[in-house]
Amino acid sequence: MNENGIRCDGRKIDQLRNISLKVGVLKNADGSAYIEFGKNKILAGIFGPRDVHPKHMADSDKGILRCRYHMSPFSVTERKNPAPSRREIEISKVIKEALQPAVILKDFPRTVVDVFIEVLQADGGSRCAALDAASIALADAGIPMRDMVSACAAGKVADQIVLDVNDEEDKEGQADMPVAYMPNLGKVTLMQLDGILTPSEYKKCLETAIGGCKQVYEIQRKALMEKYFENGSQ
Amino acid sequence: MNENGIRCDGRKIDQLRNISLKVGVLKNADGSAYIEFGKNKILAGIFGPRDVHPKHMADSDKGILRCRYHMSPFSVTERKNPAPSRREIEISKVIKEALQPAVILKDFPRTVVDVFIEVLQADGGSRCAALDAASIALADAGIPMRDMVSACAAGKVADQIVLDVNDEEDKEGQADMPVAYMPNLGKVTLMQLDGILTPSEYKKCLETAIGGCKQVYEIQRKALMEKYFENGSQ
Amino acid sequence: MNENGIRCDGRKIDQLRNISLKVGVLKNADGSAYIEFGKNKILAGIFGPRDVHPKHMADSDKGILRCRYHMSPFSVTERKNPAPSRREIEISKVIKEALQPAVILKDFPRTVVDVFIEVLQADGGSRCAALDAASIALADAGIPMRDMVSACAAGKVADQIVLDVNDEEDKEGQADMPVAYMPNLGKVTLMQLDGILTPSEYKKCLETAIGGCKQVYEIQRKALMEKYFENGSQ
Amino acid sequence: MTSSVIIEQLKRERILDLLKEGKRLDGRGLYDQRTLTIETGIIPKADGSARARLGDTEIVTGVKIQPDKPFPDLGDKGILICTAEILPLADPGAEPGPPNEEVIELARVVDRGIRETEMVDLKQLVLKKDKSVIGIFIDSSVINTDGNLFDTCSYASVAALLSCTVPKYEIKEDVPALVEGQRSKPPIKTIPVSVTMARIGEHIVVDPTADEEACMNARITITTNSEGNICAIQKGGNDGFAVEQLFKCAEIAISVGTKIRKRLEQLM
Amino acid sequence: MTSSVIIEQLKRERILDLLKEGKRLDGRGLYDQRTLTIETGIIPKADGSARARLGDTEIVTGVKIQPDKPFPDLGDKGILICTAEILPLADPGAEPGPPNEEVIELARVVDRGIRETEMVDLKQLVLKKDKSVIGIFIDSSVINTDGNLFDTCSYASVAALLSCTVPKYEIKEDVPALVEGQRSKPPIKTIPVSVTMARIGEHIVVDPTADEEACMNARITITTNSEGNICAIQKGGNDGFAVEQLFKCAEIAISVGTKIRKRLEQLM
Amino acid sequence: MTSSVIIEQLKRERILDLLKEGKRLDGRGLYDQRTLTIETGIIPKADGSARARLGDTEIVTGVKIQPDKPFPDLGDKGILICTAEILPLADPGAEPGPPNEEVIELARVVDRGIRETEMVDLKQLVLKKDKSVIGIFIDSSVINTDGNLFDTCSYASVAALLSCTVPKYEIKEDVPALVEGQRSKPPIKTIPVSVTMARIGEHIVVDPTADEEACMNARITITTNSEGNICAIQKGGNDGFAVEQLFKCAEIAISVGTKIRKRLEQLM
């Protein structure tokens, strides 16, 4: 970061990377979205509510949510083995738990809603970008929702709290805190931290991330509007 | 190949390797056969029609066919890992599809016919030899059939189209085309090609392979006759 | 072994290592025991009779017994891969078969009794020590039993038949024979041998091992008494 | 469920009825492919990449190039490996997990098309004989399925390969070391083109859709090289072909292949 | 089955009723942990070991130290790997087999707590740069479950690490060789302490039991280092937290962590 | 289904009734084996091979010999590994896939019989201490099952090993290189013979068939070496043996083993 607070990719400390978000990009999925978030390129596809296989996983009281976060072998610098890594399994779990508070599945007992995420190219903050796409893909699939889930990371780079850490910053960064947020309900549904923050930095970092989530939310809304109102049926 | 068209193992260009075929060699299987085709030594055993496990694979309209082509660890020069390779899984699939048109399973809903093939020693053309054994093992098991399936490869070696490429020829060979054929119905049920052929060579190669299949068919018939008529019940 | 028949750890040839055995050590399990047998430190936990999953394993005539013998990664000198090895799978099987004659499961059709054994630290004779703990854990779980199963190894070290071979002796030892015994019914329910014994050594070794089993049986009885009578309900 | 079975049945009858008149459900002629679009360079972090769309079938392929050990007995050749995955978001029937037999067949047929035509001169990819070679990994992710994965995957893979650049490695102290900033084109010798045909009744149709595959009798994929020779074949499906049909399929594969090859040549 | 469901339901209502009065089922205050006992050296064959009990949750951790190859691009650092297994004897619902997503999360959160605080100076564990380093394997076996596996596993792992000794290795003929009888303390820089809290209704409780976890809305684990800074966080559970709750949780984690750290410091 | 259960039940009663008269269903005496046939050299591509038939149980074993790295701490010994697979064509109950506990036990018992008798002098199979040794892989494929897989598999494995020849390797530039045309006999020190007995009621029978195994109480496999000593034992089955029965079994194993050993010696 230079003396004017300009970061290695030219952004200000509270500036998001470029985000491009498109809804309804997959023909076969019940809902889908494609996001480019910095250099992240991520697809999300939704199937469901549909029958659960294997059946013993079904819940007779409500629908269940499943999530797979997966990286294509060519998505990172060194070719990635296609089998799911422990990191991918953990991220699948925290993404599922971040989306769960937003979806309303009580009217769909014995069914599953499957969230499939494919990272075609990975950059810093891929789990947040994946969540942003998955959340509007769920809306695109017509799944009843309490709120959108908007996600963005903040972190500490060169002793400053900055919004939306990219890959290059992350390597030499001091902390990275991915956050997912339901903007209308005001709830944090994903939070992780790697790195070292003082208590006051922790507060600032969380507030910065939530500020980013609110910006992302506007982009998500716009993408949905584009599909459903400007090019769409109404 | 020398100037008289004699190949490295002494055969003429349209000559099959030695084939020895025996029906009903396994006590526990419902049908079985053992083939020696050149240096190939292959067992085929049939179970079924029998209940399908897991049950969700069953078809309520007709019986299904399954096939496993497997090589013993000692069957090839370098010891083979006993777990099925991608090559074995692909060959299992094309063999199943080559046998499928010949079997009549509509009267056996919810059942499976299992074709298990074990390559004890592998030489060139092992998938064809396996098919030849599997086909008469199906007949031995009393599975209703429209036709026999007879298989044989042709290929291009030293710029000539030759029948039934062996391992040694395959290594320096220019093309190998395994073919399976239903001799009475006149249908090709398996065809693959590795290597380069001009359009006219392609035609000649296919015709040569079918010629070989017809020779194999006579051997299959004889083997069945031997079991069921000469040593048999009539 | 020195000239007075004293072994490397100070024991006489017919002397067991120190054994400490405690019943009912796990809160969640239906029955449990912890054994220290020489340097072996082993936990056994029982669940059941309970429903069988997967269901197709259930027996409609009687309850079934399952057993898992597993070693923690830190239990041996070189870190052990946590996935079950072929050795662990075999030991699980022989332990199950050693316990089976002692348990009476005919009144619990369609259920399973699960025996889970964890070796926290391994020394010579870990399968015998595991059996000793598993057997009283079954009793602790209230599973109806015909007899206790008591286990102990004997072996040949420095040309002598000795009781209860430890790890150090095993390395240079000439034979190791683990034995499990039902002391009241007088039946050997586990016997294995690695190493070379003359026919007369074989007899002596088996008798020595059974003598050890009888000593172990007294320790097992005492441990049960301690839990159920001295500290217990009566 | 029942109503969807009935719809499937009606669709199948409609496809067969139309074929009798030489027509297809989507208006194509029997030997016409669907619209093909190919974009390259879509994954900048990969050494080469492409997205191919054939109708609604869509596949993204990335090429990764890195030093590797040669296969035993093939110490004078680089490594080339094709894999494929049908992403679970591509198809309601796809399941996450290890590849099933259909996906393995897909990857292996695409692999053979590239390998048997000798598209890449693997002998130019040796760093140190028997010890160290360049490995080319061609990984395909199926994004949406609507039939004919074979050709779509083949075109995406070939396009990714044609558009890739190869980083330079040198052996230093017995270990391959990257030479920064010296990338080159891969050693391409020919362009393989895969053409897949279905037999439905006695009709041969090129580039079957998922609906057509659901009612086809058998399938054949024929790959040709730049000289118009035939280099790889895979028959599939639960029925067979008459010999004359196989002769005809080869002609079609050569003729359709020539058109596609012109498209691919522009990517070099 | 039905009766156990009813009991569960009643227990949940009772937990919520008590929380309204600031009480918990086992008599603890909201921010109190259960009794913690830690024993070290319990597995003499391991290079370090500990058993931690937090209420009825009990975990045994063993540390194994042996030479290994460094990770690519991390040739100047030793290796540190945490694993966990919920033994099937620990819990009627645990199943033998490969770790499920919950166990993977457990191991990774414990791992990050140790890694992100830089508890162990991995740079001091290099035998030969890029070739050979010391690997520290921290394997945890859950013996009995009653909620809050995260903290119990973290304390057992940290205690095992603090009490371990590192064998000495030297490079001889390019291969690491053990130097007998020269063990040293590991290079410890700070002591991470994990504190897990559950949100039940709008109440935050520290160190939830299994009964409390069954009715919690969300969970958060915050790890602090010896300087009182925050080094690792993991939110879990199927609902969220208000921002103010997250601020409060950090304060609690620092304050509870200080007490635990004093216990752990005595093990060095 | 029901009728087959009834037949099984009747067969079991018949077996027990006959045993009371000292007879067996197939006419054998209690301590008689079924007819044993052994052919060697049946897989020319393997370094050694054999087919053993004991009644209707039939197993093919192939031996592959190739250079390998030694096991850690066993750098002065070659490698010897036995595996087994019950081919799915051998038995209607066999399933393709990774070996289950019965197959693992089978392979390990055969392995121990060969290893514990020290049949092969593994110290003669070292190419370069701690670096490179000869590995002997003894892989058995069960072709048809009718009880007593242990002995059949042991005889096939021992016969394949006795009839194998070992290719010569020399270390060249730190790597083992094949020396063409210089094969030798393996370093055989003794011939292990496995004898399996079943306890049915209070009767001991040698070489049980599948029908006998279905109604046996317990099983024991005793392997002896050329000196008539006992080298490996494995008890199996869901009941136990009286001590006197185990003494008797050892006598039988030695006496039956002597006869079989003469057959095997002719293969050297």
Side-chain angles (χ1 to χ4, degrees), chain C residues 73-74, chain E residues 59-62 83-86 110 138-142 153 156-157:
Chain C
F74 45 78
Chain E
I59 296 180
V60 172
T61 300
T83 78
E85 181 177 5
I86 300 180
V110 170
I138 305 168
D139 298 299
S140 294
S141 295
V142 179
C153 191
S157 299

Side-chain angles (χ1 to χ4, degrees), chain A residues 129-216:
Chain A
L131 259 169
D132 296 328
S135 177
I136 61 167
L138 282 164
D140 184 42
I143 307 297
M145 292 174 81
R146 283 186 188 83
D147 199 349
M148 190 65 67
V149 177
S150 308
C152 185
K156 183 175 171 188
V157 178
D159 292 324
Q160 271 199 288
I161 301 301
V162 302
L163 182 64
D164 185 21
V165 176
N166 71 21
D167 235 7
E168 211 174 319
E169 291 173 331
D170 196 20
K171 259 170 219 156
E172 38 178 325
Q174 296 149 295
D176 188 29
M177 180 195 277
V179 168
Y181 188 66
M182 294 196 294
N184 298 300
L185 296 172
K187 271 191 185 168
V188 172
T189 66
L190 176 145
M191 180 163 75
Q192 296 180 295
L193 171 69
D194 285 357
I196 301 180
L197 294 177
T198 65
S200 66
E201 285 170 345
Y202 162 74
K203 284 192 181 187
K204 189 169 176 195
C205 199
L206 177 51
E207 282 165 346
T208 302
I210 288 172
C213 293
K214 288 175 181 169
Q215 293 182 53
V216 167

Side-chain angles (χ1 to χ4, degrees), chain B residues 28 50 68 76 79 121-122, chain F residues 45 64 85 90 139 144-145:
Chain B
N28 291 338
R50 61 178 178 178
R68 173 179 121 131
V76 280
R79 177 178 183 268
Q121 183 168 280
Chain F
K45 286 200 178 181
K64 283 284 181 188
E85 182 178 5
D139 297 299
N144 200 70
T145 62

